[in-house]
Every structure is written in structure tokens, then in C-alpha cells.
Amino acid sequence: MADDFKFGTPLTHDMISKFNASIQPQRMIAESIAAEQDCMMRQVVQEVGEQGYQNRKRIQEAMERTAHNTDVTNERLEKMIDQQSSYIELLEKANETLQKQLETGQKRLEILQDIFASGEDGVLVEKELMNLIKKEIDETHPLWEYIKDKGGDIAEAGATAGFPVLYGAFKAYLQSKGIMLP
């Protein structure tokens, strides 16, 4: 067949048929290889596509889990913050109450210090104590009759006679609690 084809010789229909017949097996092999490569390429593309899809799916699921976990964590943090805020408010109120109690206690201590450290004689202190007691009780109290008349009658004389003892005992009691009076 190589002799049939020479350069410069015109191709006849016979020659073309012979040429086609001689290359037909090679063409079939080439087409078979091309088809096999095409099939393999489709298979590789499909596998790569499937892997890509699975990867995207796993990434999407991971992102959704992360978002859910973040939401749950945020809700828990909000609850904790609310609870801490309530606790702080409670502590602030307790602190305010204690501060008011401390201020009241300090005022009372100042009054007691003024009474006992004033250098006034016992009668003035006794009268002041009687006035304070009178403000604290009403006419149903058993001491009312004893305290009501501060004009110097027998009831007051009896109470006044007992006040120095009460005064000394009260002063000793305060000193035993750490309140030192002059």
C-alpha cells in the first residue's frame, strides 16, 4: 500500500478507499481510546464533583451547628447576665439598707455620746432620758403614770432617784460593748 501512495500522484477514489481501509483499525483504536478517556474523565469529574458536594455539605452542617451552639451560648450568657444584674441590684439594695442602718446607728451613738459626755449634771441627763422615754411610751404603758408628770412631784422624785442607778448601769453596759464614754 505504501507503494500506491506517492507524492505528486493524483488520488483516485480507489486510493482513498484503500487509505481509509488501512487506517480504519487505527481510527477505531483511537476512537475507543478517546471514548475510554472521555468516560474516565466523566467519572473523575463526577467523583470530584461528589467530593466537592460532600465537602460543601459538611462545611454547611458545621456552620449550622456552630450557629446553633453560638445561639445557645448567647442565650445562656444573657440569662447569666440577667441573674448577675438582679444579684447586683439585690446587693446594692442591701448595701443601701445597711448604710442607712449604719447612719442611724451613728446618729444614735452621737446622741448617746452627747448625753453622757456633756459634763451636765445627772439631773439634766435624767430629765432628758425621761423625755426620751416619754416619747417612746403611751398612756397604756405601765411606766406612764411614773413618767407623765415631770413637774417635780413624788413620781418624778422616785424616777429621778432611780435614774442615777440606771445611768451608771447603762454606761457600764455601753462600755462592756466597746463604747467608751468619758
Side-chain angles (χ1 to χ4, degrees):
M1 180 164 161
D3 293 334
D4 292 344
F5 301 108
K6 293 189 179 170
F7 286 107
T9 310
L11 293 176
T12 63
H13 184 57
D14 252 1
M15 291 170 71
I16 293 174
S17 293
K18 283 183 186 179
F19 179 73
N20 281 340
S22 70
I23 64 166
Q24 188 65 27
Q26 295 165 346
R27 181 180 290 161
M28 286 176 62
I29 291 173
E31 285 176 0
S32 172
I33 290 172
E36 193 174 321
Q37 284 178 339
D38 188 45
C39 182
M40 287 174 58
M41 191 61 124
R42 283 187 195 137
Q43 188 177 2
V44 167
V45 167
Q46 186 177 2
E47 287 176 10
V48 168
E50 182 64 26
Q51 286 176 349
Y53 171 76
Q54 293 300 325
N55 286 341
R56 283 191 303 276
K57 187 177 173 183
R58 281 192 298 272
I59 290 171
Q60 180 66 30
E61 289 170 355
M63 289 171 56
E64 288 172 3
R65 281 192 309 271
T66 300
H68 174 73
N69 291 341
T70 300
D71 286 343
V72 168
T73 301
N74 286 344
E75 288 175 12
R76 288 179 181 168
L77 286 173
E78 285 178 19
K79 287 179 183 177
M80 286 176 60
I81 289 169
D82 288 343
Q83 290 173 348
Q84 291 297 321
S85 295
S86 297
Y87 184 64
I88 288 170
E89 288 176 15
L90 180 68
L91 289 175
E92 287 174 345
K93 288 179 183 177
N95 188 35
E96 287 176 18
T97 301
L98 290 173
Q99 190 67 32
K100 288 177 183 176
Q101 289 175 348
L102 178 63
E103 289 172 5
T104 302
Q106 287 175 335
K107 287 178 185 177
R108 288 178 180 167
L109 181 60
E110 288 173 8
I111 291 170
L112 288 172
Q113 286 175 337
D114 288 346
I115 289 172
F116 292 112
S118 66
E120 299 175 1
D121 66 20
V123 174
L124 293 176
V125 171
E126 291 165 14
K127 285 186 178 185
E128 181 66 26
L129 288 174
M130 284 183 68
N131 285 334
L132 291 173
I133 292 171
K134 193 173 182 181
K135 289 179 185 176
E136 295 295 320
I137 64 174
D138 62 10
E139 54 223 22
T140 61
H141 195 278
L143 289 177
W144 180 255
E145 288 299 319
Y146 198 68
I147 303 276
K148 76 175 181 177
D149 182 18
K150 63 178 190 171
D153 62 6
I154 297 172
E156 184 179 70
T160 305
F163 267 83
V165 173
L166 291 174
Y167 173 78
F170 190 66
K171 186 174 180 181
Y173 170 78
L174 290 176
Q175 288 175 342
S176 73
K177 297 298 180 191
I179 301 174
M180 295 304 193
L181 301 174

